[in-house]
Amino acid sequence: MNGNPAAAVRRRARNQEPARSPNAARKAPVCRRGRSPRAADNDKGKAACPTRGKVPACHKPCGPLPAPDRVKAASPQRPAAAARARAPAKIKAGKGAPHSPERVLQSTLESLKIRKKARGDVAGEVNKIVEGIIKHLKTKSDCFSEIEKLPTGSYYENVKISEPNEFDVMLTVPVQRVELQEFDSEGAFYSVSFKRNPQKRPLDRFVLNDRTISANKMLKDFRNHIKQATASVSSVKLERKKAGCPAVTLLMKVKGREVGLDIVLGLKVHAQSWPTITKDGFNIDGWLGTKVKQEFKRCPFYLVPKYVGKGTDEKHGVCAKDTWRISFSHVEKGILKNHGFAKTCCESGGSQCCRKQCLKLLKCLLQKLKEKHPELAKFFSYQAKTALLHACVKRPQDSDWEIKELDDCFQQFLDDFIQYLKAGDLPHFFIPTYNLLYSTTKSHRQFLIKCIEEQRNNRFPVFRN
């Protein structure tokens, strides 16, 4: 069998094999099954090796050769893998070499693992603070008496890297019978108002004259209650408010480690369909299935007090600071926790994929490049997560993400990300009209592409430093 020429080139490049001449096989014939003479001692009574008489006398008979029609055909290469096979000069180290791409990526993932004890210590303290805040809100405020906890973010999605030093928790207030009006042309920001209802509501104190729920007023009151709830905890400090940020950030000291806790206020909108702007997004039918998609779409969606631009900008009589951004963080968490085409993917006894590993590596790469180049501050981990979700839709099969092919999968994932950077457009996974790269400049995107290419062509030195 001739095999795949590109694959052979790639194997020689990684293992640093010298190219063989066409006559090499005639100079030193060996058993085609690759059996050593010593191993063949145990095969007495089996068919003789076809090379008998052409090898040293110490060579013993080995088993029969496989029938030609039973020889497994070489599997087709992925496009990215084939492209790299045509240019092996970029990969100079063999597979087992200390700085081979596979070894670098695996050692990086090992270094990104969070120790169980450290994770348990920090998570325990974070939970105590959050439960204390919830108790305060339920007992000291009529507006937030129905508050609910919704853990979100990378820690709860099992894609947190390096240290358990950042946590995100959404505290949500259920609302019913509300109307949403788009505030921007891309469909991510909305003004929220109550429908006509003579009954008094707990949130009436935050309602403006036109029945709009003021995100600014509600967030201010929410922040004041958190300040009161943590005033007696000496290890907790309230960070200064950032314009347009939906979170109240607490800085904590846990066993000498500084930990950031983002508490996000949210409106839980249920008994309503998702906004029509989402109908062309969330295309997981060919990946997780239509049934799973419908189950997610029956879940509530959330709105957080977030705006872009100037808070005083107005549209339809509503200021930007009083608008809300739609959030699907609960769905993203559900997808990443059950991400396989097969239900047993990454479970005990099931196939192991590298989807989350690829996300961790890209998050780490972006983080380290931002540390070296502050001008890349507009690139963040949510863009990496969105790129992964799109990649899983393009390549839905678990066999497209086999853990043993981590290097190829990560390289192809980088190709995907670079294509978004070149186009200057990374569509939100649920709202395809919303571009997550809107705040980046062409020069910064080109510079990030250059940095990524330099890293991949030199076996990711930033991971080794």
Side-chain angles (χ1 to χ4, degrees):
M1 182 176 64
N2 294 331
N4 189 323
V9 172
R10 183 162 166 254
R11 283 195 297 273
R12 286 199 299 272
R14 287 192 173 180
N15 299 325
Q16 294 183 321
E17 294 179 352
R20 296 181 180 180
S21 66
N23 299 323
R26 290 197 294 270
K27 291 180 182 178
V30 294
C31 173
R32 288 168 58 195
R33 292 189 66 188
R35 306 292 303 277
S36 67
R38 187 170 295 179
D41 286 339
N42 298 324
D43 292 334
K44 292 178 180 179
K46 296 183 180 179
C49 171
T51 57
R52 181 182 297 280
K54 299 179 183 178
V55 294
C58 63
H59 186 85
K60 302 292 183 184
C62 70
L65 290 170
D69 60 343
R70 298 209 309 264
V71 176
K72 187 175 180 181
S75 58
Q77 282 188 309
R78 299 183 183 88
R84 287 191 300 281
R86 289 192 293 270
K90 289 185 177 181
I91 301 175
K92 300 179 182 178
K95 200 165 189 175
H99 292 160
S100 68
E102 293 86 351
R103 186 70 64 85
V104 170
L105 298 183
Q106 290 290 356
S107 61
T108 301
L109 287 171
E110 283 296 318
S111 69
L112 296 178
K113 286 183 179 178
I114 301 174
R115 296 191 304 273
K116 286 186 178 180
K117 187 176 185 310
R119 180 171 55 191
D121 291 343
V122 175
E125 291 300 316
V126 167
N127 288 333
K128 284 182 187 177
I129 297 297
V130 173
E131 292 305 321
I133 291 171
I134 292 174
K135 183 178 179 181
H136 176 93
L137 289 167
K138 284 179 175 287
T139 57
K140 303 293 184 182
S141 171
D142 294 335
C143 305
F144 302 111
S145 58
E146 298 180 350
I147 205 94
E148 299 172 3
K149 176 183 174 182
L150 180 68
T152 59
S154 59
Y155 177 82
Y156 300 99
E157 294 166 346
N158 295 322
V159 291
K160 186 78 181 76
I161 59 175
S162 300
E163 292 291 334
N165 56 1
E166 291 180 358
F167 290 78
D168 299 279
V169 175
M170 188 185 292
L171 299 184
T172 67
V173 179
V175 293
Q176 294 181 349
R177 293 183 57 79
V178 294
E179 292 179 348
L180 305 182
Q181 184 171 9
E182 289 184 24
F183 189 81
D184 67 326
S185 59
E186 296 182 323
F189 298 87
Y190 295 84
S191 61
V192 183
S193 59
F194 283 115
K195 295 179 180 179
R196 292 188 180 276
N197 191 335
Q199 295 181 348
K200 195 171 182 180
R201 295 169 291 253
L203 300 183
D204 278 349
R205 63 180 294 187
F206 307 122
V207 176
L208 304 176
N209 294 334
D210 60 352
R211 302 194 311 276
T212 300
I213 305 173
S214 170
N216 184 49
K217 281 187 177 183
M218 195 168 175
L219 182 57
K220 274 185 181 178
D221 197 60
F222 182 70
R223 181 181 176 86
N224 287 335
H225 279 291
I226 291 178
K227 187 176 182 179
Q228 294 168 20
T230 58
S232 60
V233 185
S234 59
S235 60
V236 176
K237 178 184 175 184
L238 185 68
E239 195 175 66
R240 189 174 179 178
K241 186 181 184 305
K242 297 175 184 175
C245 178
V248 178
T249 302
L250 299 177
L251 299 178
M252 307 165 52
K253 281 284 186 181
V254 180
K255 294 192 174 182
R257 180 186 282 109
E258 190 170 273
V259 177
L261 171 60
D262 284 343
I263 304 176
V264 180
L265 171 65
L267 297 180
K268 179 183 179 182
V269 184
H270 50 96
Q272 282 185 220
S273 300
W274 287 9
T276 55
I277 199 75
T278 64
K279 66 182 176 63
D280 293 327
F282 193 40
N283 297 313
I284 64 169
D285 306 68
W287 169 26
L288 302 178
T290 304
K291 184 178 179 181
V292 172
K293 180 177 180 177
Q294 292 306 318
E295 287 175 356
F296 277 128
K297 296 202 81 168
R298 282 192 286 268
C299 293
F301 61 91
Y302 295 86
L303 297 160
V304 299
K306 167 77 174 175
Y307 67 89
V308 294
K310 293 181 180 179
T312 54
D313 291 344
E314 283 192 28
K315 187 175 181 181
H316 306 301
V318 179
C319 290
K321 64 183 179 181
D322 288 322
T323 59
W324 304 77
R325 188 190 67 189
I326 195 166
S327 170
F328 297 97
S329 57
H330 61 302
V331 180
E332 293 163 359
K333 182 175 74 172
I335 289 174
L336 288 175
K337 292 187 81 171
N338 300 281
H339 53 260
F341 184 86
K343 291 183 178 179
T344 57
C345 181
C346 292
E347 292 183 359
S348 178
S351 61
Q352 301 296 308
C353 80
C354 63
R355 292 177 176 94
K356 287 187 177 181
Q357 286 85 345
C358 286
L359 176 56
K360 288 181 179 180
L361 289 168
L362 181 54
K363 286 175 63 176
C364 180
L365 180 60
L366 287 177
Q367 179 180 301
K368 289 184 176 293
L369 290 176
K370 285 166 67 175
E371 290 171 358
K372 291 182 66 176
H373 308 287
E375 61 269 33
L376 298 177
K378 293 291 185 179
F379 300 97
F380 44 90
S381 61
Y382 188 73
Q383 294 160 341
K385 180 166 72 170
T386 300
L388 178 75
L389 295 175
H390 285 304
C392 290
V393 170
K394 290 181 193 173
R395 301 182 290 281
Q397 298 290 336
D398 298 335
S399 57
D400 296 325
W401 300 88
E402 290 182 349
I403 190 67
K404 64 182 181 181
E405 301 293 340
L406 174 63
D407 178 35
D408 284 346
C409 292
F410 182 56
Q411 296 285 359
Q412 191 161 1
F413 183 37
L414 286 180
D415 288 340
D416 295 338
F417 192 66
I418 287 173
Q419 288 306 312
Y420 292 123
L421 295 175
K422 287 180 177 178
D425 184 19
L426 173 56
H428 192 283
F429 190 64
F430 300 87
I431 310 169
T433 53
Y434 182 41
N435 177 18
L436 294 177
L437 296 175
Y438 73 94
S439 63
T440 64
T441 65
K442 184 177 181 180
S443 60
H444 286 156
R445 292 193 298 270
Q446 289 175 338
F447 181 64
L448 178 56
I449 292 171
K450 179 183 175 183
C451 290
I452 292 174
E453 291 291 7
E454 286 178 353
Q455 290 295 320
R456 74 196 305 192
N457 291 343
N458 291 283
R459 304 189 298 278
F460 303 103
V462 74
F463 287 159
R464 293 182 265 126
N465 296 333

